[in-house]
Amino acid sequence: MSTYREEKRRDQQLRAEQDREDRRLELEAQLEIQRLKAEENRKDADARHRQEQADKKAKQAKAQAKKAAAAAQRAKLLRWLKTNPATLFVAFVMVASIVPAILSQIGALTGASVAAPMAGLLAAMLEGGAWAITFMGKQAEDAGREPRKYRIGTWAVAAVAAAVNFWHGLEAYAAHPWVAFVLGASSLFAIYIWDLKTHGSHGKTKAQKQAEKAHKAHVSARRKHHPEIVEAAVKLQAALPFGVLDDESAFAAAWRIHTGAEPGLSAELYATATTAVLSLGAAFELGDNVREELLETGFKAARLNPFAELTQTPGSQAGIGSNPPEPPAEKPRETGPRGRSDEELDTLLPDALSAAAELVADGKQISATGLAKKLQIRREDALKLRDRVIEQRRLHVA
């Protein structure tokens, strides 16, 4: 019996403990739910705060950008007014001219028994038509088209409007005829001011006109002196697609084809320049061997020459100046024939002097190689003879 009671008591204790545990777990679950909900609410509040801050900054940035744009626009307008005072005054004068012209035409038309609305439309047709054609001409000119027909139309319509104002002025101000001229001019003056400003600012400068004139003269001279090459250049441009070759490129290509050289040069010019250099040297060399007074004249010219550092001295022009370094003579083989003696070289000296004169006449320097070929001797002997020949020529010059 006692055992049953004890077991029942333990069961009751266990159920009580289980109930307490269940309530504890339920309470913890509710607290966790509340914590999560509070965390979510906090995150939502942070997000709303950040969004509000971002919207506020965006509004401030937009306001600052709008303010900066307005300031930039004002600055741009001020710069334009400072740099374009003529445009501002032209606009003022044009308004002051157009308004009286329109009013005068309305008065003239209404005085001719034309209803006021119709008179206003007709006056606007005349003045507005002139300005419509004017602006169309300006647009055509900016696009690179010929504006001449627009300018003719503008002045024709403006002349009709001026005639209407002049006729009205004669009738309305008979006591003061000069007013008629002023009213007539009011239809022309605004057009004249606009035309002067537009074509005065877009017209060619004096330097541009001079450059165009010089270019035309250059093209004319090119056609006169090089007609074959100009014709070949035109054919090249015609053979290729339009715009591939401009005039200068086509002429340069045709010049290279015909002469084989860069533009401005040719085989004849190269030959002329080379011949002139050789002839100058040969003239001095021949003068040394033919007429002694020419060499003396050369020395006097050298003493009086203000540009001596730019020209050769008579000694160098006579072939006895600094010679290019000769390569060292090859050592003769011990088994080969020995060189000529001094006596034999003295015997060859007259022939060597003649050979040297021939070398100089050909525009060449006196060298051992040249003497060896002329005299048909060994190079070692020609080296010794060269020194003796140069010494003799120095003594002759002195």
Side-chain angles (χ1 to χ4, degrees), residues 42-56:
R42 185 185 63 80
K43 290 181 179 179
D44 291 341
D46 292 341
R48 286 194 299 271
H49 180 70
R50 288 194 297 269
Q51 185 63 39
E52 290 175 357
Q53 293 294 326
D55 292 342
K56 184 178 180 180

Side-chain angles (χ1 to χ4, degrees), residues 271-286 360-364:
T272 300
T274 304
T275 302
V277 173
L278 294 176
S279 299
L280 181 63
F284 281 98
E285 303 300 343
L286 290 174
V360 172
D362 292 336
K364 300 177 181 178

Side-chain angles (χ1 to χ4, degrees), residues 28-47:
E28 288 181 354
Q30 291 177 355
L31 292 174
E32 181 65 19
I33 291 173
Q34 292 177 359
R35 187 187 66 80
L36 293 176
K37 188 176 181 180
E39 182 67 20
E40 185 177 356
N41 292 335
R42 185 185 63 80
K43 290 181 179 179
D44 291 341
D46 292 341

Side-chain angles (χ1 to χ4, degrees), residues 39-112:
E39 182 67 20
E40 185 177 356
N41 292 335
R42 185 185 63 80
K43 290 181 179 179
D44 291 341
D46 292 341
R48 286 194 299 271
H49 180 70
R50 288 194 297 269
Q51 185 63 39
E52 290 175 357
Q53 293 294 326
D55 292 342
K56 184 178 180 180
K57 290 181 179 179
K59 289 180 180 179
Q60 291 176 351
K62 187 176 181 180
Q64 290 178 355
K66 188 176 181 180
K67 185 178 180 181
Q73 191 68 22
R74 288 194 299 271
K76 183 178 179 181
L77 179 60
L78 290 175
R79 285 196 301 270
W80 185 87
L81 292 175
K82 290 180 179 179
T83 55
N84 297 276
T87 303
L88 184 63
F89 283 105
V90 166
F92 172 76
V93 172
M94 287 170 59
V95 171
S97 175
I98 294 171
V99 172
I102 293 177
L103 295 178
S104 175
Q105 289 176 30
I106 293 175
L109 294 170
T110 53

